[in-house]
Amino acid sequence: MTGVRNVLFVMCDQLRRDFVSCYGNSPVPTPNLDRLARMGVRFDNAFVQSGVCGPARMSCYTGRYVSSHGATWNRVPLSAAEHTLGDYLRAAGRAAALAGKTHVLPDTEALARFGIEIESERGALLREGGFTVVDRYDGHTPPGPESGYADWLRERGYASADPWSDYVIGVDDGGRAASGWQMRNVHLPARVAEEHSETAYMTDLALDWIRAQGDTPWVLHLSYVKPHWPYVVPAPFHAMYRGADIGPILRGPQDGTVDEHPVVRAYRDHDECLSFAREAVVRHVRPAYMALIAQVDHHLGRVLDALAEAGRMRDTLIVFTSDHGEFSGDRRLGEKELLYDEIVRVPFLIYDPDPRADVARGSVDARFVEGIDVVPTILDALAIAGASHRIEGRSLLPMLRGEAPVDWRDATFAELDYGFRRARRVLGRGVQDCRACMTRTAEWKYVHWQGFRPQLFDLVADPRELDDLGADPRHEATRAAMRERLFDWLAARKRRTTIADGEVERRTDAHRAHGIHIGIW
Amino acid sequence: MTGVRNVLFVMCDQLRRDFVSCYGNSPVPTPNLDRLARMGVRFDNAFVQSGVCGPARMSCYTGRYVSSHGATWNRVPLSAAEHTLGDYLRAAGRAAALAGKTHVLPDTEALARFGIEIESERGALLREGGFTVVDRYDGHTPPGPESGYADWLRERGYASADPWSDYVIGVDDGGRAASGWQMRNVHLPARVAEEHSETAYMTDLALDWIRAQGDTPWVLHLSYVKPHWPYVVPAPFHAMYRGADIGPILRGPQDGTVDEHPVVRAYRDHDECLSFAREAVVRHVRPAYMALIAQVDHHLGRVLDALAEAGRMRDTLIVFTSDHGEFSGDRRLGEKELLYDEIVRVPFLIYDPDPRADVARGSVDARFVEGIDVVPTILDALAIAGASHRIEGRSLLPMLRGEAPVDWRDATFAELDYGFRRARRVLGRGVQDCRACMTRTAEWKYVHWQGFRPQLFDLVADPRELDDLGADPRHEATRAAMRERLFDWLAARKRRTTIADGEVERRTDAHRAHGIHIGIW
């Protein structure tokens, strides 16, 4: 028997596309991701729908754009009305297991309104975005009770009420403990052993879980919290790179330029941008970021090896991507959010075990694919019906099997809501007035900002997006054309989510059959 | 004690603005609506958010535009995630009672998913759009068990399993029973006595209910199913008007014009348009429509009298509007839906008992108001907090009290989804591809149609919207400016509905307080 029986959907957090070596010019080799690319298809123009963890992930889990699912920033609850990968699978008698991060926050107001106890089975599913939790761990705070990581560490001798703060992001400064929150410390080794690090723990857990499934078909979301900050690296990876190894830093656009976009300028007031504006910080921190990538790649190799040994490469679809990228000091910016390619263009690899996919192995597909395509692709591979009235993404299965999909998109879309950010206060705006939406074709990127001029980049002449043409009078026609694309996209979002398309088809012009006789003489 | 303690929100179904005499040039006098206008404020530029019952009503009940609440056409379930007037009132220890029509269809898929029995208290509220049902009767089908109307009729001697079909919309053709579904019969008297008609029944019920409240504060939605079809009128109203009384019929635009908008042309294939394209039909049916208006006005007079007698005019806010208008043969169209002013511009009157409103009694307010303003106005009058992260309308209370609201809108917006209509098949479109959105200023109306050219009307030179400039090269700049308004409107819809604005404000730039230290050196 061949074909897809299992699905492994791997996500990294904050892994930048050009730090993956199969994408070219990476300062860090990623041999195992490269191996996956050779086994499957490497999507060269893959984009997430937000440059922020939460909304980008909700798009990957719902198959819907950010303003469709409404969780526009981190810790905005995912509406109980949204359906996720797990919900679609469950309706077909399957389930989506989770090992790692989702960033789903429960819609507690709806749970209370609907009388659903959060500890009930229904409540747990809504709390977890439809996933069945093997271990939920969102990273960058001490693991809560939904993760076994803290106990697991204590069992291994890390005696602490909070082994995460004390060991995992704690560093060893020549025998003195210090915190990895302070980026000045990220050249020092973590106080946790590599085999006890977050990435190792979640990999072990996932492999144990997969083994335990035996021949029962499964779907697992293995969701690493790395290479996201805190940039603390266990030995020996911590010493892998130095400041000289990081490759070029993109300093532009021109420092202090007066026509920099107001929102970009406001972001420069954030701590991470104040820090990363300094080249010394970039040369100190980026090596740690690279080492975390090398470490994730190493553990992904363990996953690939284990699947191969177990014979699971015959029947397991593997989807690999990241929720967004990271500036790492490029543009003198830190972190993410803003809609440059460093952030919204992500690595995206799919291995399809089906023999029909043999024709495409090792190929590169340059079509625009999006995070919202993950759900329909997985459902399609498992021959499970989706919901065309809700899901806005499309299945990538044809591309995996050498077929040319019909009327494929020629642009991608992403959004930002910076209502929660200091930039909002810097700009004196209300919490409802901080939205941006972007469209990007092969040639142009256009970003609409509420209340401000747009950004426009000529990606052919200026692929690094250094020269913002958003106010350039010579490009008015291009801005109008890109804005037109955004208009059509906005007007076409799927809002009629409570009735299936087939039902609309059946009800069309059907009032007479229900005894309603409109306008007959 | 003065001020607002009670709210009576009256809605008619399919009542056209220029068939209400305080709006001028009505072919039918409406003395009681005119009385209400003298007591309160008459809004001259009031618009609904859809030309279809269901979506227009859901906007009035949620305070949200159609593509925000998602119930884009009749019988599209209102998402369980939406909050309605009744929900906001309930959170403040009040309730919204219902006597009449809502067109709410329950989100049964969500109910099943959340394990809510539809017969439970929670289920009933979700089924009824948050209203507490006194009597729910949506009209144009035999009343179901949620209405007492059929039993009430039988108690009054209308012996029938279906007294509605047999008597209420049955007509007496010289001793022979015939159906009022056939518009050729609407000159004949209904077989139901006037005092037993739908309008009389619902008025009696509402007045009884109001009396029963005594001095307990209340909110009631009295929602008439008339003058909506079937256009069957009880005696003596049935004989009130004849074909000569109906005033001018708007025949244009030019019959058979080749550049009529494709969607408008497709609508002409609907039964009601085929019928109403004939002047003889208009002259036969419009008198019945007018008589139904006269009848509703008569019963509204009873309501106003009863409130005055009970002393309730001292403490009751009265909001009167309609869910949309009706073509009644104008433009050779029947029914509604298309976004002309006959459909989306509605009568809208508010009486505010507060002494602060004395300054504005009898005045006319020309600002754009919308159906979505009903919920925030009622909540504001009762000093109940709304939800700025969901509600898109604004309170009209300032206008009622002679205050000038700040930054008031200078345009209105409405939408159409014709996916359920024969026109979709005529045009060969898919069920997701049939959307329109309109914006209208004092000077221009612009309608965006998915996949077709827009419509544009110069409302100053052409207030009847006869000359569609949507393809006229001389008006490209105006179209671009109107499209820009629509773009900004689309991009600003409230999608982040699971977190209150105040909470976003509190969380802004607050990560450090939660022990998350991003990007510090």
Side-chain angles (χ1 to χ4, degrees):
Chain A
M1 151 95 201
T2 54
V4 179
R5 294 176 78 235
N6 318 301
V7 177
L8 179 65
F9 168 27
V10 184
M11 188 176 264
C12 277
D13 197 312
Q14 206 147 319
L15 172 58
R16 196 170 137 161
R17 174 183 171 279
D18 57 358
F19 281 58
V20 173
S21 50
C22 56
Y23 282 92
N25 298 318
S26 168
V28 46
T30 53
N32 292 299
L33 284 170
D34 298 0
R35 167 159 52 133
L36 186 60
R38 283 193 304 275
M39 293 162 56
V41 175
R42 174 165 73 81
F43 290 94
D44 200 38
N45 279 294
F47 289 81
V48 283
Q49 277 51 77
S50 166
V52 182
C53 297
R57 285 162 184 271
M58 300 315 128
S59 285
C60 286
Y61 302 154
T62 61
R64 289 160 60 73
Y65 289 104
V66 174
S67 58
S68 296
H69 62 63
T72 62
W73 209 69
N74 290 330
R75 301 186 64 75
V76 173
L78 181 64
S79 168
E82 290 296 313
H83 291 233
T84 62
L85 174 64
D87 297 315
Y88 293 118
L89 291 174
R90 192 165 308 102
R94 302 284 302 263
L98 167 71
K101 171 168 180 168
T102 64
H103 235 82
V104 170
L105 209 75
D107 186 357
T108 47
E109 183 188 61
L111 290 171
R113 195 165 158 240
F114 300 143
I116 302 172
E117 295 290 335
I118 198 150
E119 297 304 331
S120 69
E121 194 180 339
R122 264 195 191 88
L125 283 170
L126 286 168
R127 185 183 67 212
E128 301 298 350
F131 286 105
T132 306
V133 173
V134 179
D135 188 284
R136 158 92 182 257
Y137 174 44
D138 276 359
H140 72 66
T141 50
E146 63 283 354
S147 172
Y149 186 39
D151 283 340
W152 186 87
L153 286 171
R154 281 186 283 262
E155 284 164 18
R156 278 151 189 80
Y158 299 94
S160 165
D162 176 7
W164 184 78
S165 298
D166 291 340
Y167 293 97
V168 179
I169 68 153
V171 293
D172 189 349
D173 190 3
R176 195 180 58 86
S179 174
W181 278 123
Q182 287 186 282
M183 298 196 297
R184 70 184 68 205
N185 292 328
V186 300
H187 63 296
L188 299 167
R191 296 187 68 217
V192 79
E194 198 283 325
E195 66 267 31
H196 301 146
S197 67
E198 293 158 303
T199 301
Y201 166 76
M202 208 53 80
T203 304
D204 287 356
L205 202 73
L207 292 180
D208 286 350
W209 184 86
I210 290 169
R211 265 189 295 274
Q213 305 313 302
D215 284 328
T216 309
W218 49 267
V219 176
L220 177 66
H221 180 34
L222 170 55
S223 189
Y224 291 114
V225 299
K226 292 289 153 188
H228 189 286
W229 47 259
Y231 304 100
V232 177
V233 196
F237 287 96
H238 79 291
M240 189 173 259
Y241 299 106
R242 305 204 171 277
D245 302 325
I246 64 170
I249 304 170
L250 185 67
R251 300 301 297 171
Q254 317 87 305
D255 290 16
T257 173
V258 289
D259 64 352
E260 184 168 57
H261 193 277
V263 180
V264 178
R265 201 161 55 227
Y267 263 71
R268 296 200 182 284
D269 196 44
H270 294 175
D271 290 335
E272 64 276 14
C273 294
L274 294 170
S275 293
F276 276 104
R278 296 162 50 201
E279 182 173 329
V281 172
V282 183
R283 294 209 175 273
H284 189 82
V285 179
R286 197 182 284 186
Y289 176 66
M290 291 161 54
L292 288 170
I293 294 170
Q295 194 202 358
V296 168
D297 184 78
H298 164 73
H299 287 280
L300 272 171
R302 292 174 56 214
V303 173
L304 296 179
D305 290 345
L307 290 175
E309 277 164 36
R312 286 279 85 94
M313 283 297 184
R314 282 198 311 272
D315 56 13
T316 302
L317 183 85
I318 305 175
V319 178
F320 175 86
T321 189
S322 179
D323 60 349
H324 53 74
E326 122 120 50
F327 284 118
S328 191
D330 280 348
R331 305 177 192 282
R332 295 168 292 120
L333 294 169
E335 278 288 303
K336 52 223 180 189
E337 304 205 19
L338 297 170
L339 297 159
Y340 294 100
D341 269 15
E342 291 88 5
I343 303 306
V344 291
R345 193 176 184 182
V346 290
F348 199 110
L349 311 170
I350 306 186
Y351 165 75
D352 177 359
D354 194 286
R356 286 170 288 180
D358 291 348
V359 294
R361 299 199 191 287
S363 69
V364 178
D365 197 305
R367 278 171 277 232
F368 283 108
V369 306
E370 302 187 309
I372 59 173
D373 298 333
V374 169
V375 168
T377 299
I378 292 174
L379 295 180
D380 194 14
L382 295 173
I384 292 173
S388 58
H389 59 303
R390 286 188 294 255
I391 294 175
E392 300 183 312
R394 290 179 63 179
S395 171
L396 304 177
L397 216 59
M399 278 103 117
L400 302 177
R401 296 177 181 180
E403 298 161 22
V406 178
D407 288 334
W408 196 255
R409 64 176 76 97
D410 64 351
T412 182
F413 299 88
E415 295 169 82
L416 173 61
D417 170 9
Y418 63 94
F420 294 80
R421 296 294 264 139
R422 189 190 303 172
R424 175 174 73 75
R425 297 221 171 110
V426 170
L427 295 166
R429 298 187 67 78
V431 296
Q432 286 286 349
D433 309 322
C434 300
R435 286 160 65 179
C437 51
M438 172 205 97
T439 184
R440 182 202 190 281
T441 63
E443 292 84 27
W444 297 96
K445 177 180 287 185
Y446 177 92
V447 186
H448 162 76
W449 293 95
Q450 270 185 324
F452 297 104
R453 70 159 176 86
Q455 289 178 289
L456 179 73
F457 297 100
D458 177 346
L459 301 174
V460 176
D462 173 32
R464 305 305 299 268
E465 306 171 80
L466 294 172
D467 188 11
D468 184 351
L469 306 172
D472 188 326
R474 291 167 300 179
H475 293 279
E476 180 50 40
T478 301
R479 285 195 298 271
M482 294 300 280
R483 199 166 166 83
E484 194 70 5
R485 279 179 181 270
L486 264 184
F487 182 104
D488 288 343
W489 175 78
L490 283 166
R493 289 309 87 235
K494 292 187 175 175
R495 308 284 178 217
R496 190 184 63 206
T497 57
T498 56
I499 185 167
D501 286 343
E503 181 64 18
V504 178
E505 185 68 53
R506 275 188 294 280
R507 286 195 199 170
T508 301
D509 198 24
H511 52 278
R512 285 176 301 278
H514 296 96
I516 295 172
H517 306 283
I518 305 176
I520 58 164
W521 175 244
Chain B
M1 151 96 200
T2 53
V4 179
R5 295 177 77 233
N6 317 301
V7 177
L8 178 65
F9 169 27
V10 185
M11 188 176 264
C12 277
D13 197 312
Q14 205 145 321
L15 172 59
R16 195 169 137 163
R17 173 182 172 280
D18 57 357
F19 282 58
V20 172
S21 50
C22 56
Y23 282 92
N25 298 317
S26 168
V28 46
T30 54
N32 292 298
L33 284 170
D34 297 0
R35 169 160 48 134
L36 186 61
R38 283 193 304 274
M39 293 161 56
V41 175
R42 175 166 72 79
F43 290 94
D44 201 40
N45 280 294
F47 288 82
V48 284
Q49 278 51 79
S50 165
V52 182
C53 298
R57 285 162 184 273
M58 299 316 127
S59 285
C60 287
Y61 303 153
T62 60
R64 288 161 58 75
Y65 288 103
V66 174
S67 59
S68 296
H69 62 62
T72 63
W73 208 69
N74 291 329
R75 300 186 64 75
V76 174
L78 180 65
S79 168
E82 291 296 314
H83 291 234
T84 63
L85 173 63
D87 296 316
Y88 292 118
L89 291 175
R90 192 165 307 104
R94 302 285 302 262
L98 168 71
K101 173 168 180 168
T102 64
H103 234 83
V104 169
L105 210 75
D107 186 357
T108 47
E109 183 188 62
L111 291 171
R113 191 163 161 244
F114 301 143
I116 302 172
E117 296 289 334
I118 198 151
E119 299 303 330
S120 69
E121 192 180 341
R122 265 198 189 86
L125 283 170
L126 286 168
R127 184 184 66 212
E128 302 299 349
F131 286 105
T132 306
V133 173
V134 179
D135 189 284
R136 158 89 182 258
Y137 174 44
D138 276 0
H140 74 65
T141 51
E146 62 284 354
S147 172
Y149 187 38
D151 283 340
W152 187 86
L153 286 171
R154 280 186 285 263
E155 285 165 17
R156 277 149 190 80
Y158 299 93
S160 165
D162 177 7
W164 184 78
S165 297
D166 291 341
Y167 293 96
V168 178
I169 69 151
V171 292
D172 188 349
D173 190 1
R176 196 180 57 84
S179 173
W181 277 124
Q182 286 186 283
M183 297 197 298
R184 69 182 69 204
N185 293 327
V186 300
H187 63 298
L188 298 168
R191 296 186 69 214
V192 79
E194 199 282 325
E195 66 266 31
H196 302 145
S197 66
E198 292 159 303
T199 302
Y201 167 76
M202 209 52 82
T203 305
D204 287 356
L205 202 73
L207 293 181
D208 287 349
W209 184 87
I210 290 171
R211 266 189 295 274
Q213 304 315 300
D215 284 328
T216 308
W218 50 267
V219 175
L220 177 66
H221 180 33
L222 169 56
S223 188
Y224 291 115
V225 298
K226 291 292 155 188
H228 190 284
W229 47 260
Y231 304 100
V232 177
V233 195
F237 288 95
H238 79 288
M240 191 174 257
Y241 300 104
R242 304 202 174 280
D245 303 327
I246 65 170
I249 305 170
L250 185 69
R251 300 302 296 173
Q254 317 85 305
D255 291 16
T257 174
V258 290
D259 64 353
E260 184 169 56
H261 192 277
V263 180
V264 178
R265 200 160 58 228
Y267 263 72
R268 296 200 182 284
D269 197 43
H270 295 175
D271 290 334
E272 65 277 12
C273 294
L274 295 169
S275 293
F276 275 103
R278 297 162 51 201
E279 182 173 330
V281 171
V282 182
R283 294 208 174 273
H284 190 82
V285 179
R286 197 182 284 186
Y289 176 67
M290 290 160 55
L292 288 169
I293 294 170
Q295 195 203 356
V296 168
D297 185 78
H298 164 73
H299 287 281
L300 273 171
R302 293 175 56 214
V303 173
L304 296 180
D305 292 344
L307 290 175
E309 276 164 36
R312 287 280 86 93
M313 282 300 183
R314 282 198 311 272
D315 57 13
T316 303
L317 183 86
I318 305 175
V319 179
F320 175 86
T321 190
S322 177
D323 61 348
H324 53 73
E326 123 120 50
F327 284 118
S328 191
D330 280 348
R331 307 178 190 280
R332 296 168 291 118
L333 295 169
E335 279 287 304
K336 52 223 182 189
E337 303 205 18
L338 297 170
L339 298 159
Y340 294 101
D341 268 13
E342 291 88 6
I343 303 308
V344 291
R345 192 176 184 183
V346 290
F348 199 108
L349 312 170
I350 306 187
Y351 165 74
D352 177 359
D354 193 287
R356 286 169 288 179
D358 292 348
V359 294
R361 300 201 191 286
S363 69
V364 179
D365 197 304
R367 279 171 275 232
F368 283 108
V369 306
E370 302 188 308
I372 58 174
D373 299 332
V374 170
V375 168
T377 299
I378 293 175
L379 295 179
D380 194 13
L382 296 173
I384 291 172
S388 58
H389 59 303
R390 285 188 294 255
I391 294 177
E392 300 183 310
R394 290 180 64 180
S395 171
L396 304 177
L397 217 59
M399 279 102 116
L400 301 177
R401 299 178 179 179
E403 298 161 20
V406 177
D407 288 333
W408 196 255
R409 66 176 75 97
D410 63 351
T412 182
F413 299 89
E415 295 170 81
L416 172 63
D417 170 10
Y418 63 95
F420 294 81
R421 296 294 263 141
R422 191 191 299 173
R424 174 174 74 76
R425 296 221 171 109
V426 170
L427 295 167
R429 298 185 68 78
V431 297
Q432 286 285 350
D433 309 322
C434 299
R435 287 161 64 178
C437 51
M438 173 204 96
T439 184
R440 182 202 191 280
T441 64
E443 292 83 27
W444 297 96
K445 178 181 285 183
Y446 178 92
V447 186
H448 162 75
W449 293 95
Q450 271 186 323
F452 297 104
R453 70 159 176 88
Q455 289 178 288
L456 179 73
F457 296 100
D458 178 346
L459 301 175
V460 176
D462 172 32
R464 307 304 300 267
E465 305 171 80
L466 295 172
D467 188 11
D468 183 352
L469 306 172
D472 187 326
R474 290 168 301 181
H475 293 278
E476 181 50 40
T478 302
R479 285 195 298 272
M482 294 298 281
R483 200 169 166 82
E484 193 70 4
R485 277 179 181 269
L486 264 183
F487 182 103
D488 288 342
W489 175 78
L490 283 165
R493 289 310 87 232
K494 292 186 176 176
R495 310 283 179 218
R496 188 184 64 204
T497 57
T498 55
I499 185 168
D501 286 344
E503 182 63 18
V504 178
E505 184 68 53
R506 276 187 293 279
R507 287 195 198 168
T508 300
D509 197 26
H511 52 276
R512 284 177 301 279
H514 295 96
I516 295 171
H517 306 283
I518 305 175
I520 57 163
W521 177 246

